[in-house]
C-alpha cells in the first residue's frame, strides 16, 4: 500500500508573537466603531488575522539575517544587485525596476504602455490593477473563462483565458488599441484559481499572431506553479521552480507584489524584457517611487526579498503552504459551508450569496458576513464582492459581480493547524445561525478603491 504523508510544515518555530482574545461585547463595539469594515479594525483587537496574505508572512531566520546586511546607500545598494540577480535567476526576466509594492509597478507599466482609449484584456480584474489601467485612460475587459464566475464549478484551471473572447475583442477593437493582455497567476478575485500552462501557451500564440504583449501579474506565481505540478498533465516530475520559470518565459513583462509569494513585509518590482520599456520605466520610477536601485524599498528589504524569492519556489515550502489552505477548505466543505470550488491556494473563499440567501446584493452580504465572523471569534476576513467591485466608470452604477465572497486569507508560515480548527469552528457556528443575520447599508463611500475605507451601518 502507498503511504501518505500530511502537509506538515518544513520548519520549526523559533520566535512567537503573543495574540490576545477579546470578548464578544468588545468586538460588537469595535466593529460598529469600524463602520462594519474589517479594514478599519485595529490589529490589536484581532485574534486571528485572515484579512490578507499580503506582507503578513513570517520571515525565515535567513531572511532576518539578511535584514542585518542592509546596505542603505541611496544609489547602487549591494542588496539591489542581489535582488536583481534572484529575479533574473528564478523568474527569467531581463531588467528589474524596484517599487514600493505591486501597485507601484502597475502604475508605471500602465502609464508607459496604455494610451487613452485603449483596452486591456485580462483573466479577471484585480482592484488596484484595473484602477491603474483606468487612470491611464484604458478600459479593462474580462476574458476569463465562464467557469471562473461560477463558485460551484470544479474546473481545475479557472484562471484560464477564454481564447475566443480574447480574439473577438482583438478583432473588434483592433490590435493597435490593445497594448497588452494582463495575465494573473493565480487569479485572486476568482478565489485564488490557477491558469494552466497549456492555456498560457495558447494565449502566447494568439498574442504573437497580433503582436500584442503579455504583462504578467506574478503575485502568486509559485502557488500557481504548484497547482500545475499537481494537476496538469505532464508536470508531475517538474519542480515548482522549473514551472515558475516556464510561466515567466512565456510573458514579456511582470508586475510583482513581493508581499505575497516572496515572503516579505513590503516591496515589489516591475520586470521587463524590452530595453526601451526598461529605459522609460527606469526614468519614471524616480518620479513616483525612488531612485532605480531602490524604488521605495530599504536596502535591507531588498536583501530579505532576494532570499524570500529563493525560499518561495522550494517544493516543500509550497506544498505545506497550499496544504494548510486546503486543510481549512476541506474542513469547511465537510461542515456544509458554501465555499468556492476548487479550494484556492492563498485562501478559502466563502460564497456569501449562498451563505446569506435572504440578503440581496445591495445589502452587502459579504461585507455583512465578514463583520459577523469577526464578532463571533475575533477572526478578521475580507469582503470580495460588490463593495470591492466598485462602480462602473461610465454610468456610475454599482458593478454587480457574480461572485460575492468573503476571503479567509492564510498568511504564509504564521498560523498552526489548531488555528485552522478555531477558524472552521467559528465559520460553522455563524453558518448554523445565519437566519438571524441582517444586512448593511453604506453610509460613507470614498472615490477610489472604496472597500478600504467605506463605512456601513446595520439595517
Ligand atoms: N495583484 C494581485 C493579484 C494582488 O493580489 C495584489 C494585492 C496586487 C496586485 C497589488 O499589490 O498590494 O503590493 O500593491 N493584493 C492584496 C490582497 C492587497 O490582499 O489580495 P500591492
Amino acid at each position: 500500500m502507498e503511504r501518505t504523508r500530511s502537509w506538515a510544515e518544513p520548519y520549526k518555530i523559533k520566535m512567537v508573537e503573543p495574540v490576545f482574545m477579546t470578548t464578544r461585547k468588545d468586538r460588537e463595539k469595535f466593529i460598529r466603531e469600524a463602520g462594519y469594515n474589517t479594514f478599519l479594525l485595529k490589529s490589536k483587537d484581532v485574534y486571528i488575522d485572515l484579512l490578507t496574505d499580503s506582507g503578513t508572512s513570517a520571515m525565515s531566520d535567513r531572511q532576518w539575517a539578511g535584514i542585518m546586511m542592509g546596505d542603505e546607500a541611496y544609489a547602487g545598494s549591494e542588496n539591489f544587485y542581489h535582488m536583481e540577480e534572484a529575479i533574473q535567476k528564478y523568474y527569467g526576466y531581463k531588467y528589474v525596476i524596484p517599487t514600493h509594492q505591486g501597485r507601484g509597478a502597475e502604475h508605471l507599466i500602465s502609464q508607459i504602455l496604455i494610451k487613452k482609449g485603449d483596452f486591456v484584456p485580462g483573466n479577471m480584474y484585480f482592484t488596484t490593477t484595473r484602477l491603474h489601467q483606468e487612470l491611464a485612460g484604458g478600459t479593462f475587459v474580462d476574458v476569463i473563462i465562464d467557469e471562473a464566475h461560477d463558485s460551484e464549478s470544479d474546473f481545475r484551471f479557472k484562471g484560464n483565458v477564454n481564447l475566443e473572447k480574447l480574439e473577438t475583442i482583438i478583432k473588434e477593437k483592433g490590435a493597435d488599441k490593445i497594448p497588452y493582455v494582463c495575465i494573473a497567476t493565480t487569479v485572486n478575485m476568482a478565489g485564488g484559481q490557477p491558469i494552466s500552462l497549456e492555456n498560457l501557451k495558447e494565449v502566447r500564440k494568439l498574442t504573437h499572431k497580433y503582436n500584442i504583449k503579455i504583462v504578467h501579474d506574478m503575485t502568486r506565481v509559485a502557488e500557481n506553479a504548484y497547482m500545475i505540478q499537481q494537476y496538469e498533465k505532464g508536470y508531475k516530475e517538474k519542480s515548482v521552480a522549473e514551472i515558475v520559470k516556464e510561466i515567466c518565459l512565456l510573458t514579456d513583462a511582470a508586475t510583482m507584489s513581493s508581499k505575497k509569494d516572496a515572503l516579505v513585509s513590503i516591496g515589489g518590482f516591475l520586470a521587463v524584457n524590452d530595453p526601451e520599456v526598461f529605459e522609460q520605466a527606469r526614468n519614471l520610477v524616480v518620479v513616483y517611487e525612488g531612485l532605480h536601485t531602490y524604488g521605495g524599498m530599504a536596502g535591507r528589504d531588498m536583501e530579505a526579498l532576494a532570499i524570500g524569492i529563493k525560499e518561495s519556489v522550494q517544493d516543500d515550502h509550497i506544498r505545506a503552504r497550499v496544504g494548510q489552505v486546503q486543510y481549512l477548505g476541506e474542513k469547511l466543505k465537510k461542515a456544509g459551508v458554501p465555499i468556492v470550488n476548487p479550494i484556492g491556494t492563498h485562501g478559502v473563499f466563502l460564497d456569501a450569496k449562498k451563505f446569506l440567501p435572504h440578503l440581496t446584493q445591495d445589502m452587502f452580504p459579504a461585507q455583512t458576513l465578514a463583520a459577523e465572523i469577526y464578532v463571533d471569534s475575533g477572526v478578521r476576513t475580507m469582503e470580495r464582492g460588490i463593495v470591492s467591485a466598485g462602480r462602473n466608470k461610465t454610468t456610475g452604477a454599482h458593478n454587480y459581480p457574480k461572485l460575492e465572497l468573503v476571503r479567509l486569507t492564510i498568511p504564509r508560515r504564521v498560523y498552526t493547524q489548531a488555528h485552522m480548527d478555531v477558524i472552521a469552528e467559528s465559520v460553522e457556528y455563524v453558518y448554523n445561525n445565519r437566519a438571524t443575520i441582517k444586512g448593511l447599508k453604506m453610509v460613507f463611500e470614498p472615490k477610489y478603491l472604496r472597500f478600504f475605507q467605506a463605512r456601513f451601518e446595520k439595517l
Side-chain angles (χ1 to χ4, degrees), residues 266-278:
I266 192 72
F269 59 81
L270 172 65
V272 301
N273 291 334
D274 181 332
E276 272 172 41
V277 176
F278 172 57

Side-chain angles (χ1 to χ4, degrees), residues 410-434:
I410 311 300
R412 296 166 185 79
R413 312 194 286 205
V414 172
Y415 292 115
T416 64
Q417 186 158 331
H419 286 119
M420 297 302 119
D421 292 341
V422 170
I423 297 159
E425 286 159 14
S426 171
V427 173
E428 264 182 72
Y429 180 84
V430 175
Y431 186 60
N432 292 333
N433 293 283
R434 61 192 179 279

Side-chain angles (χ1 to χ4, degrees), residues 39 51-54 100-104 106 126-129 184-189 217-220 255-260 266-268 346 382 384 407 409 451-452:
F39 277 105
L51 186 69
T52 177
D53 63 331
S54 183
H100 76 286
Q101 59 184 76
R103 69 199 70 178
E106 291 166 357
F126 184 72
T127 53
T128 58
T129 322
T185 56
T186 60
V187 181
N188 191 355
M189 299 303 278
D217 178 348
M218 60 178 298
T219 297
R220 297 179 182 84
T255 57
M256 175 61 151
S257 170
S258 311
K259 306 170 71 174
K260 282 83 168 176
I266 192 72
H346 68 301
M382 182 196 289
R384 292 275 87 150
R407 187 179 74 173
T409 342
F451 56 94
F452 284 129

